[in-house]
Each structure stands twice: as structure tokens, then as C-alpha cells.
Amino acid sequence: MKKSIWIGLGFLLYGALISWYLFMGADTSIPTQYEGTEADPSVFMSERQLELSHDFSRIKQWLYFLSVPFEWVIYLVVLGFGLSKWFRTRAMEVTRFSIIHNLIYVVLLSLIAFIMSLPIDYYSYTVSLDYQISIQPFSDWMRDKIISFWINTLFLFVIVQTLYWLMNKSEKRWWLYGWLLSVPFTLFIYFIQPIWIDPLYNDFYRLEDKVLEDKILALADRADISADRVYEVNMSEKTNALNAYVNGIGSNLRIVLWDTTLQKLSDEEVLFVMAHEMGHFVKHHLYWNLIGSIVTSFLGLWIGSRVFNWMIRKWGHHWGIEKPTDIASLPALLLVFSVLSFMASPVENAISRNAEHSADEYAIEMTEDSKAAVGSFQQLAVSGLSEVHPPLLVKLFLYGHPTMLERITFLDQWEQKTTKNEKIEEEEK
């Protein structure tokens, strides 16, 4: 009970500190040298939009920085109050088959985590509604949450069943064998996501604007991307935000545009956005992401296995867990991986920002239309109420893309450099 009180007080103190940082301590003003430029939000946003952008960004950032440690609190509560041991005991009373024990346990643990996280998730949903980023009805939102719950629970069960089977076979090297098995599993997920998983949430259909599709496919042909169609997805039923992407590998590669992007951007702006996405493919970022996830999982499993074993040795008897192979130890394992993932996110985001900048470079070199490029970024910021110059901590932990300030100033510099080179060429002639 005393430890629970200390955990609660620690969470409250952390919440107070992160709230002070986000709402009062962080400076997000535009650097003086960029005031009045195309990167200055006061140039392309109204006063009301600036206010909404600031408030919406702060609340969403605050929710993120609270929700991650709250997940850790959930695992500690399940362990500390004996719920994990109780779940295991109830599962064992149902049947003598261990695979069914594990399935029941995973469902119970996932359900308690889902219920305890629901208030934060619901508040995040209502905030998006209030700021008109989301227009998704509650019934549809809840449907997506339930679909995600069962998909995640199914994947978690497969992973848990595999890892704990490996633990029973080899307590020292289970993490290595688990990693080796994760490689084909990761490849499988990359391959099936565009075809099997994404359509569970939205309807995908061929781009209705055939003229624009021909332009995009011509762009893809210049990029040596073998695509014969562009997909449109009906995200306008859920959100006012914009997005486009290229995902999948091999024959399952898909070029996808949200219909909101088509509604709010000009054809030239759409082409720049698609050139950016194609840049990821041309520069093999999809495959580098795949390799990165494989390397990251190796390090995570290696470090995590050692921390996990140490936790069970130190606190297992307090939680009613005799050894690591006990399924009741799962919350401790998930806690370790969640903490490691959070700690690694600044490095992963930095790598991602570099890849996104590389895709921006490719897109502007391919389209040579800085006006459309800047316009697309400005419209992305307006539609998503994105903060142009976020706090440093937010950038480190949340931004897998360069900030809008960085992206637009890069385009301005590219335009200036191009203009200068053209003048030099003319003078030489």
C-alpha cells in the first residue's frame, strides 16, 4: 500500500511538472529572423487559428505525456494489487490446457488495460471533436477502438504464447529465439497491413479524379515505381486532417491519398505531397524502417530480458510470481518493453526526421515547385492545427517529421539557392 501511494504521488508530481513545462515553461515563439516569412504562422493563419493551434497542440501533447506513464501505472497496479495472480488462477480453473490459460489471461489483462485507459482515450477524442479535427461519431470511434482491441489482443496472444513457450525451453536464450521468429512475423505484418488490416478501419477505392491519377502515376513512372493505380480513402467521415502515404512491400505496395487531402489541396500541392511519399520508396526508407525495426527489436529483447529477469528476482515474491515463465509475470514484461520504447523514441524520431527531410529534398527536386510545396505544408498545419515551432521536449518525443518551421524554411532556402544558381548561369551565358 505504501509503495502504491508513492507511485501515485510520483505520477501526480510528474503530471504537475509536465503541465508546467507545456503550458507555462516552454517557449514556442517564432525566432525573430523568421517573423513575417512564409514559415511564420501569423502569415497563413488567422488569430483564431493561431489560438486554436496553440491550445489544441498543448492539450494533445499533455495527454501523450500523461498516457505513457499511466500505462506503466496500470501494469504496476495489476501486479501490486494481486490482479495478475488472480487472472492466472481464474484462467487455470477453466481448463487444463496451457494455451487456453494464456489466451484467457491475455484477454483479461488487455481488457483491464483498455478499461483503465478509456477515460484518457475518450477525453482525447472529445478534444479532437471540440477543435473540429475529428468529426467521427462516437459509435464509429468506439467501433474502431473495439476493432483495435481485438486485433492488438490477438497479436499480443500470439507473441506471448511464443515468448513464454521459448522461456520454458530456454530461460537464458528465449529472447534471441524470439527475435529470430519476430523477423518473418514483422515481414508478414508489413506485407498484409495494406490488404488486410487497413481496410478494417476505412474504405479504400481507386482515385476518382482520373486526370490527377494520371499525373500521379506519371510521377511514379519517373520515380521508377511500378504502380498502376492510386487509392483514395474516405477519411473525411472521421477527420478534417490531411495525409497521404505509400506503404506495403512487394506486390502489396499501395499509393494512398486521404480524400481530405484531395479536397483541400490543389493538384500541384497534391503532386508535391505524393512526390514526398514516393521519395520514401525511391530512397528505400520503407526497407530501412523494416531493418530498423528488426535491429531495434533485437536490442529491446536483449536488454528487456535482463531487466525483466532482475525485476522478477527482486519483486516476484511480492507479486505472487515464482519465476519468469509464470504467465502472471506478463505485466512486468510489458512494463519493461514500454519503458524501453519510450526511452528509445527520441533516437527513433531523430532518424525518422532525417528520412522525412530526405523525402522533402527528393520531392522539391522532382517537382521544382516551391510555391506548391510551401502551400501544402501551410495547409497541413492549418487543417491539423499543428504547431509550427513546438517545444523541444515535444519535438524529441513526438515528432517523427521535421517541424513545419524547419520544413518551410528549408524550402525557402532551396528557392533562394535555385534563384541564385539561375542568375549565375545567366551571367555566364
Side-chain angles (χ1 to χ4, degrees), residues 279-306:
H280 287 307
F281 179 85
V282 171
K283 292 176 176 287
H284 308 296
H285 292 159
L286 297 174
Y287 292 99
W288 282 113
N289 285 344
L290 178 60
I291 294 170
S293 65
I294 291 171
V295 172
T296 301
S297 64
F298 175 86
L299 294 173
L301 282 165
W302 175 52
I303 297 171
S305 66
R306 280 151 177 75

Side-chain angles (χ1 to χ4, degrees), residues 238-340:
K238 298 180 179 181
T239 181
N240 288 318
L242 314 181
N243 198 13
Y245 58 88
V246 176
N247 73 340
I249 56 176
S251 60
N252 281 8
L253 177 75
R254 278 192 171 185
I255 301 174
V256 181
L257 275 164
W258 286 11
D259 59 348
T260 50
T261 304
L262 296 167
Q263 294 164 10
K264 297 181 181 180
L265 297 187
S266 67
D267 283 5
E268 291 73 18
E269 290 168 344
V270 169
L271 288 174
F272 172 81
V273 171
M274 294 313 300
H276 168 94
E277 299 302 332
M278 292 174 191
H280 287 307
F281 179 85
V282 171
K283 292 176 176 287
H284 308 296
H285 292 159
L286 297 174
Y287 292 99
W288 282 113
N289 285 344
L290 178 60
I291 294 170
S293 65
I294 291 171
V295 172
T296 301
S297 64
F298 175 86
L299 294 173
L301 282 165
W302 175 52
I303 297 171
S305 66
R306 280 151 177 75
V307 177
F308 170 65
N309 288 332
W310 172 78
M311 287 180 66
I312 299 303
R313 286 196 303 269
K314 188 171 181 64
W315 294 299
H317 64 285
H318 294 297
W319 299 331
I321 300 169
E322 297 179 359
K323 53 186 178 178
T325 54
D326 186 343
I327 189 62
S329 67
L330 179 58
L333 186 63
L334 295 177
L335 171 62
V336 169
F337 288 146
S338 180
V339 172
L340 289 176

Side-chain angles (χ1 to χ4, degrees), residues 95-156:
T95 177
R96 60 187 179 85
F97 298 106
S98 61
I99 189 172
I100 304 300
H101 299 164
N102 293 347
L103 175 61
I104 294 172
Y105 180 92
V106 168
V107 170
L108 289 173
L109 179 62
S110 298
L111 186 61
I112 195 69
F114 177 84
I115 293 171
M116 292 181 71
S117 300
L118 193 58
I120 292 179
D121 293 339
Y122 177 72
Y123 180 58
S124 179
Y125 161 71
T126 59
V127 167
S128 295
L129 279 181
D130 291 342
Y131 285 85
Q132 298 182 349
I133 298 299
S134 172
I135 56 175
Q136 187 178 20
F138 173 78
S139 58
D140 288 353
W141 176 79
M142 199 65 206
R143 170 184 169 273
D144 285 351
K145 292 290 293 182
I146 292 173
I147 290 174
S148 294
F149 169 82
W150 285 112
I151 290 176
N152 294 337
T153 300
L154 174 62
F155 282 137
L156 179 60

